[in-house]
Amino acid sequence: MSAVRIGPYTLQNNLILAPMAGVTDQPFRTLCQRLGAGMVVSEMVSSDMTLWDSRKSRLRRIHEGDPEPRSVQIAGGDAQMMAAAARANVEAGAQIIDINMGCPAKKVCNKAAGSALLRDEALVSEIVHAVVGAVDVPVTLKIRTGWDRASKNGLNVAKIAEQAGIQALAVHGRTRADLYTGEAEYDTIAAIKQAVSIPVFANGDITSPEKAWAVLDATGADGLLIGRAAQGRPWIFREIEHYLRTGQHLPAPGLDEVERILLEHLAALHAFYGDVMGVRIARKHVGWYLATRPGGKEFRSRFNALDETHAQCANVREFFREGRQSLETKDGTGVAA
Ligand SMILES: Cc1cc2nc3c(=O)[nH]c(=O)nc-3n(C[C@H](O)[C@H](O)[C@H](O)COP(=O)(O)O)c2cc1C
């Protein structure tokens, strides 16, 4: 695959961490990029700037130290507010503005927003024109395949976007009405890729190197957006990148490396959010990392009762120490725990 360009930026590779509110905060974005993502996108920020003063909103908008190019996603249903939000984010350091027309959240500020906009192509056009006209950085757009299965108008929206000057498109292979049910389909993404000449990124249910290859093959897309499969598995990017480049699988990370990554992630969450919020946010991430490991589920309920940063770190170390011991026992190379 050749490298994708978005405006002046050439991506390190064609795998992007999909924006996920409540997940893709600065610590997670930084980790995913270090472990192989070619680009990462911020959690969405509302276009209503009167909401920007809350601590939560401030943390979402922090850009200093963010991996570059810094792509910030904005959500809203009013063209002028979206334009103003885009400008303010660029002033704050955003290097790419991404418009959210993909998320099933019904409303932002009592107005249709996210994928709910897809039903109103005139409004889509107004918003993309306003945002592209408001900033001199590249603007990208994230959509679903359409409003519902009877009205898969993703193709029209893609053409509107290209004509308005949108510089790359991400398409989640579900309609708005599908929410997250069923399986993503890739035919509509393939049709969109055929119909426009800007880079198209395919998204939805990409969970393994083989699936990544198959989706690229089926859609002809320029790259992929990966969301949920990266939760608790940020190294999925290097695994997919390696497979696409060489046709070979990278070995799965060993216990020592997973422990190192998880402890680094914990420390970053504690530092970024502070002790109280950091401890709370760490719980879901730790749950994801350990969900499929032996003893992970039982550990999770104990871990969720901890409310000190040092206790979280110590318990994670203990979990891995026990995991190593039981491996050694199984191998017959060590002493029973
Ligand atoms: C917890 C969560 C939060 C999400 N938040 C956003 C968001 O803020 N903006 C957006 O465009 N999409 C959002 N999405 C959708 C994802 O970006 C992605 O399109 C979707 O999860 C499908 O990709 P996947 O199968 O790789 O997860 C969110 C998804 C999840 C699971």
Side-chain angles (χ1 to χ4, degrees):
M1 269 195 309
S2 53
V4 177
R5 289 180 64 91
I6 300 179
Y9 304 107
T10 303
L11 306 195
Q12 303 240 332
N13 64 52
N14 303 355
L15 306 173
I16 298 181
L17 171 65
M20 290 184 285
V23 181
T24 54
D25 51 19
Q26 195 196 55
F28 191 61
R29 293 197 297 274
T30 307
L31 192 56
C32 287
Q33 184 149 60
R34 187 166 74 63
L35 292 171
M39 192 172 98
V40 297
V41 184
S42 78
E43 302 171 88
M44 74 179 179
V45 242
S46 164
S47 61
D48 184 349
M49 291 193 273
T50 62
L51 304 175
W52 283 14
D53 248 357
S54 72
R55 177 159 189 265
K56 190 171 153 195
S57 175
R58 271 200 308 278
L59 287 171
R60 278 194 176 187
R61 284 185 295 109
I62 278 181
H63 302 307
E64 214 166 288
D66 252 359
E68 298 197 13
R70 292 183 294 263
S71 174
V72 174
Q73 188 186 64
I74 57 174
D78 179 281
Q80 289 322 310
M81 282 170 79
M82 288 286 275
R87 265 194 302 270
N89 275 298
V90 170
E91 273 162 29
Q95 294 165 320
I96 294 175
I97 294 291
D98 185 49
I99 302 176
N100 178 347
M101 293 194 192
C103 150
K106 288 189 192 73
K107 290 187 169 178
V108 174
C109 309
N110 288 326
K111 287 199 122 200
S115 57
L117 294 170
L118 295 175
R119 187 154 62 171
D120 187 344
E121 290 178 13
L123 182 55
V124 167
S125 173
E126 204 191 320
I127 290 175
V128 289
H129 276 100
V131 174
V132 169
V135 291
D136 53 14
V137 303
V139 180
T140 59
L141 176 68
K142 180 160 176 286
I143 61 172
R144 289 188 169 220
T145 51
W147 169 256
D148 62 18
R149 290 187 186 192
S151 165
K152 279 198 185 166
N153 61 334
L155 197 62
N156 288 351
V157 170
K159 288 181 188 160
I160 291 169
E162 180 175 38
Q163 276 159 17
I166 291 290
Q167 301 212 20
L169 199 61
V171 189
H172 177 188
R174 287 188 175 83
T175 68
R176 189 223 181 233
D178 291 332
L179 302 173
Y180 287 94
T181 60
E183 303 218 329
E185 59 88 8
Y186 306 107
D187 293 350
T188 311
I189 303 177
I192 290 173
K193 168 63 194 166
Q194 285 295 314
V196 297
S197 54
I198 52 178
V200 172
F201 290 83
N203 171 234
D205 299 350
I206 296 157
T207 50
S208 66
E210 287 86 349
K211 184 83 186 266
W213 190 90
V215 172
L216 285 170
D217 189 50
T219 58
D222 301 276
L224 301 170
L225 237 73
I226 295 163
R228 288 166 295 174
Q231 293 172 345
R233 196 178 154 195
W235 50 84
I236 192 173
F237 295 99
R238 74 177 183 204
E239 292 179 341
I240 293 179
E241 191 277 330
H242 185 84
Y243 183 78
L244 294 177
R245 190 162 40 83
T246 65
Q248 307 287 317
H249 282 284
L250 269 185
L255 271 187
D256 287 354
E257 188 182 10
V258 174
E259 177 182 13
R260 243 189 348 264
I261 291 170
L262 178 45
L263 286 172
E264 180 193 330
H265 194 172
L266 271 183
L269 288 170
H270 295 156
F272 184 72
Y273 288 107
D275 290 1
V276 176
M277 202 174 163
V279 160
R280 199 158 40 75
I281 288 175
R283 290 179 187 142
K284 66 185 166 199
H285 288 279
V286 169
W288 286 323
Y289 278 95
L290 304 184
T292 56
R293 297 199 173 261
K297 287 217 173 77
E298 300 73 23
F299 175 80
R300 187 181 186 177
S301 48
R302 273 185 287 132
F303 184 83
N304 286 351
L306 304 171
D307 51 16
E308 304 268 356
T309 55
H310 67 269
Q312 284 193 328
C313 297
N315 274 262
V316 163
R317 279 196 201 95
E318 181 60 19
F319 177 86
F320 282 93
R321 198 181 60 76
E322 284 172 10
R324 269 189 294 270
Q325 275 185 349
S326 88
L327 268 187
E328 283 168 7
T329 308
K330 270 194 206 136
D331 289 353
T333 53
V335 184

